[in-house]
Amino acid sequence: MPSPQRVQLSIPASAEFISVVRLAVSGVAARMNFTIEDIEDIKVALSEACTNAIQHAYQADAKGQIEIEFILHDASLEMIVQDHGKGFNTTENIKAEKSNSSPEDFGLGLGLVFIQSLMDEAEINSIKGKGTTLKMLKNLSTHAA
Amino acid sequence: MPSPQRVQLSIPASAEFISVVRLAVSGVAARMNFTIEDIEDIKVALSEACTNAIQHAYQADAKGQIEIEFILHDASLEMIVQDHGKGFNTTENIKAEKSNSSPEDFGLGLGLVFIQSLMDEAEINSIKGKGTTLKMLKNLSTHAA
Amino acid sequence: MSHFSIQIDHQNSQDVIRVHGEIDLHTCPDLHKTLSEQLAQGVAQFVLDLNQVHYLDSTGLGVIAHAARQLGEKQGHVHIITTQPQVLKIFDLSGLTKKNIIIHANLADVPA
Amino acid sequence: MSHFSIQIDHQNSQDVIRVHGEIDLHTCPDLHKTLSEQLAQGVAQFVLDLNQVHYLDSTGLGVIAHAARQLGEKQGHVHIITTQPQVLKIFDLSGLTKKNIIIHANLADVPA
Ligand SMILES: Nc1ncnc2c1ncn2[C@@H]1O[C@H](COP(=O)(O)OP(=O)(O)O)[C@@H](O)[C@H]1O
Ligand SMILES: Nc1ncnc2c1ncn2[C@@H]1O[C@H](COP(=O)(O)OP(=O)(O)O)[C@@H](O)[C@H]1O
């Protein structure tokens, strides 16, 4: 059994590179013959993951890299987004944390919700002080679907 | 002096991923405000470098990865394409090697020529049995130009 | 590459804010600035033409929802004009259209 | 994403080969197959409409040059129709247009 093909991408944790990630993944997903709607869903989920790493993981003055890996399975695309930022407690009530946020923070707390509703699988692992890893999986819809 | 931003990409040495590389670099180059013509030149040079790694570096049965790095300088884009394939003698007459090629090989020996004429700088380093590294630089044209 | 731009047209006796490009973390501050300026001018409602927006995510929604909340204090509405499937889907998923954000297929459908 | 396709239209009493998409290492085998089939049918010249090709590099040139060489043996020409700047530049850099490959802006300019 041949191992699946992998594409890796590393970008600075800076907003102007999210569109580069979207371009790259649209190429990967098109090659896998995902439908246009699925490609759009994949772009949103991946952008949300990168947005979180840029907005929440790093202090404004110490921007690191974000590592993105695409694993091209026969019937699905796996995407792993990893930052080396501050991490967070994934079991805490995230909404509660939101209430203290500044009025200039426009986050609606929808990023992780979108990822969960647009992807077939999503799993987040975060270690305080070490960083966060988000794994997502989108299945290729079968022709019968 | 802040160090320049870097974007890294790793793809399987397989033809269907060259378009993913073009999409990614068109995003990077657009963000740097390269002109449309310069972006096209960058896409061609980078594609030629990947094409060479795919066609010449690896045996058909032992495909490795190709590593691509973009270094975003203030006034130029540096691109490094690296394979871990068979390497070649860059001082030998490349055309001579061509004459033994099979009739099914459509290579015109134009790949490196295009890279040299489309980029502002190009430097190739190859070690037999270890692989090849191609460094290219494209300057942002000043507004006066 | 498609560049991001915002243009304000006076049409049907109101300002129509036309966005062109992708709305994400990088470009949403421009949209925020435009909406804040309009709010400061005391407009009663927003008309936002997103037909040339091919990408929208939670960052853009956040900016629009923030403006909608401020307009809501004076019973104002945000009218979004779009037939883009990706944009429609994102609004739909967000549940924001249950509040004072209304989606229309055509500018003609927006009340003056 | 733009998909790659090749279509043959009979127009002005000749076959026009229309390519749509990007011609690179991945897609050039399809072009090679089409040109080989035409050669096997004994055509005297090629008319290749590349107006819908937004990307061409040395791999595509190699396929076209290979076909041109075979047509050249019977004094045939390859007529390329395009006004795409990127494609024109690549042909220009290659020097191939000094041989039996001719570029035209319009199909009407191709001799029958
Ligand atoms: N990569 C990350 N690093 C640190 N914290 C994160 C990361 N991703 C998510 N979070 C935390 O989870 C919360 C919820 O994220 P999300 O659902 O995307 O909503 P929003 O970004 O609008 O707050 C964030 O506010 C943040 O506290
Ligand atoms: N990455 C590489 N690994 C091994 N050999 C290479 C590599 N890049 C170039 N070469 C050698 O250099 C030659 C010239 O390359 P190029 O100018 O691109 O023309 P072509 O690919 O059409 O032969 C190739 O035929 C090959 O022998």
Side-chain angles (χ1 to χ4, degrees):
Chain A
M1 205 174 72
S3 55
Q5 290 178 310
R6 282 161 198 264
V7 172
Q8 278 140 356
L9 187 59
S10 170
I11 58 162
S14 184
E16 71 252 44
F17 292 100
I18 303 181
S19 62
V20 175
V21 177
R22 278 199 299 276
L23 283 168
V25 79
S26 61
V28 169
R31 282 279 163 255
M32 291 180 73
N33 289 321
F34 275 101
T35 63
I36 291 175
E37 188 179 348
D38 281 347
I39 294 174
E40 293 303 331
D41 292 351
I42 289 167
K43 282 163 66 180
V44 172
L46 190 57
S47 294
E48 297 292 352
C50 293
T51 295
N52 277 348
I54 293 165
Q55 288 199 304
H56 306 300
Y58 297 106
Q59 311 290 356
D61 56 337
K63 295 285 182 197
Q65 294 282 120
I66 304 174
E67 257 80 58
I68 301 139
E69 180 164 15
F70 306 107
I71 309 176
L72 291 76
H73 300 286
D74 283 342
S76 66
L77 173 62
E78 186 178 344
M79 303 189 285
I80 303 170
V81 178
Q82 189 171 11
D83 66 61
H84 311 287
K86 71 175 161 75
F88 70 111
N89 188 336
T90 55
T91 57
E92 250 174 41
N93 188 336
I94 286 171
K95 288 279 169 216
E97 197 175 333
K98 294 292 309 166
S99 57
N100 327 332
S101 66
S102 79
E104 273 308 290
D105 170 11
F106 305 131
L108 300 167
L110 281 176
L112 295 177
V113 173
F114 280 0
I115 290 170
Q116 232 129 21
S117 51
L118 297 174
M119 296 291 102
D120 291 303
E121 289 175 32
E123 186 191 313
I124 196 158
N125 273 298
S126 195
I127 302 173
K128 286 235 175 181
K130 288 270 180 190
T132 303
T133 302
L134 181 64
K135 260 193 211 190
M136 299 174 270
L137 196 84
K138 184 75 176 174
N139 293 325
L140 270 165
S141 43
T142 56
H143 285 282
Chain B
M1 203 176 70
S3 54
Q5 291 179 309
R6 284 160 197 267
V7 172
Q8 278 140 357
L9 187 59
S10 169
I11 58 161
S14 184
E16 70 252 45
F17 292 99
I18 303 180
S19 63
V20 174
V21 177
R22 280 199 300 274
L23 283 168
V25 80
S26 60
V28 169
R31 281 282 163 254
M32 293 181 71
N33 289 321
F34 275 101
T35 64
I36 292 177
E37 188 178 347
D38 280 348
I39 295 174
E40 294 302 330
D41 292 351
I42 289 168
K43 282 163 67 179
V44 172
L46 190 57
S47 294
E48 297 291 353
C50 293
T51 296
N52 277 348
I54 293 165
Q55 287 198 305
H56 306 300
Y58 297 106
Q59 311 290 356
D61 55 338
K63 295 283 180 199
Q65 294 281 120
I66 304 174
E67 257 80 58
I68 300 140
E69 181 163 15
F70 305 107
I71 308 176
L72 290 77
H73 301 285
D74 283 342
S76 65
L77 174 61
E78 185 179 345
M79 303 189 283
I80 303 170
V81 178
Q82 189 170 12
D83 67 60
H84 311 287
K86 70 176 162 75
F88 71 111
N89 188 336
T90 54
T91 57
E92 250 173 44
N93 188 336
I94 286 169
K95 289 280 170 213
E97 198 175 331
K98 296 289 312 164
S99 56
N100 328 330
S101 65
S102 80
E104 273 307 292
D105 170 12
F106 305 129
L108 300 167
L110 282 176
L112 295 176
V113 173
F114 279 180
I115 289 170
Q116 233 129 21
S117 49
L118 296 173
M119 296 291 101
D120 291 302
E121 290 175 32
E123 184 191 315
I124 195 158
N125 274 297
S126 195
I127 302 173
K128 286 236 175 183
K130 288 268 181 192
T132 302
T133 303
L134 181 65
K135 260 195 212 191
M136 299 174 271
L137 196 84
K138 184 75 176 173
N139 294 326
L140 270 165
S141 43
T142 55
H143 286 281
Chain C
M1 291 291 90
S2 66
H3 275 281
F4 184 78
S5 64
I6 301 176
Q7 172 189 334
I8 301 178
D9 295 331
H10 201 74
Q11 215 171 329
N12 289 8
S13 70
Q14 56 193 330
D15 281 348
V16 179
I17 303 165
R18 296 215 151 82
V19 188
H20 192 288
E22 301 191 330
I23 307 181
D24 69 0
L25 183 65
H26 183 55
T27 57
C28 73
D30 278 4
L31 180 60
H32 172 60
K33 187 165 166 283
T34 302
L35 298 186
S36 298
E37 282 163 6
Q38 292 275 308
L39 277 170
Q41 284 170 27
V43 297
Q45 65 175 16
F46 280 141
V47 183
L48 216 57
D49 182 346
L50 303 185
N51 263 319
Q52 297 305 315
V53 171
H54 301 263
Y55 179 83
L56 176 75
D57 61 26
S58 76
T59 60
L61 280 182
V63 168
I64 294 169
H66 178 80
R69 214 149 43 218
Q70 291 182 266
L71 270 185
E73 291 167 10
K74 350 178 235 180
Q75 268 66 50
H77 289 81
V78 175
H79 298 280
I80 306 278
I81 303 160
T82 188
T83 55
Q84 290 287 343
Q86 194 270 332
V87 174
L88 290 171
K89 182 168 187 177
I90 286 296
F91 271 107
D92 195 39
L93 276 180
S94 75
L96 282 174
T97 45
K98 293 191 196 94
K99 303 189 178 169
N100 62 332
I101 299 179
I102 305 159
I103 313 247
H104 309 272
N106 297 295
L107 180 58
D109 302 337
V110 177
Chain D
M1 293 293 87
S2 66
H3 274 282
F4 184 79
S5 64
I6 302 176
Q7 174 189 332
I8 301 178
D9 294 332
H10 200 75
Q11 214 171 330
N12 290 7
S13 71
Q14 55 194 330
D15 281 347
V16 179
I17 303 165
R18 296 215 150 81
V19 188
H20 191 288
E22 301 190 330
I23 308 181
D24 69 358
L25 183 64
H26 183 56
T27 57
C28 72
D30 278 4
L31 180 61
H32 172 60
K33 188 164 166 281
T34 303
L35 298 187
S36 298
E37 283 164 5
Q38 292 276 308
L39 278 170
Q41 285 168 28
V43 296
Q45 65 175 19
F46 280 140
V47 183
L48 215 56
D49 182 346
L50 303 185
N51 263 318
Q52 297 306 314
V53 171
H54 301 263
Y55 179 82
L56 177 75
D57 61 25
S58 75
T59 59
L61 281 181
V63 167
I64 295 169
H66 178 81
R69 213 150 44 220
Q70 291 181 266
L71 271 185
E73 290 167 10
K74 352 178 229 179
Q75 268 67 47
H77 290 82
V78 174
H79 298 280
I80 306 278
I81 304 160
T82 189
T83 55
Q84 291 286 342
Q86 194 271 331
V87 174
L88 289 171
K89 182 168 186 175
I90 285 297
F91 271 106
D92 195 39
L93 276 179
S94 74
L96 282 174
T97 45
K98 293 191 198 96
K99 303 190 178 168
N100 62 331
I101 299 178
I102 305 159
I103 313 248
H104 308 271
N106 296 296
L107 180 57
D109 303 336
V110 176

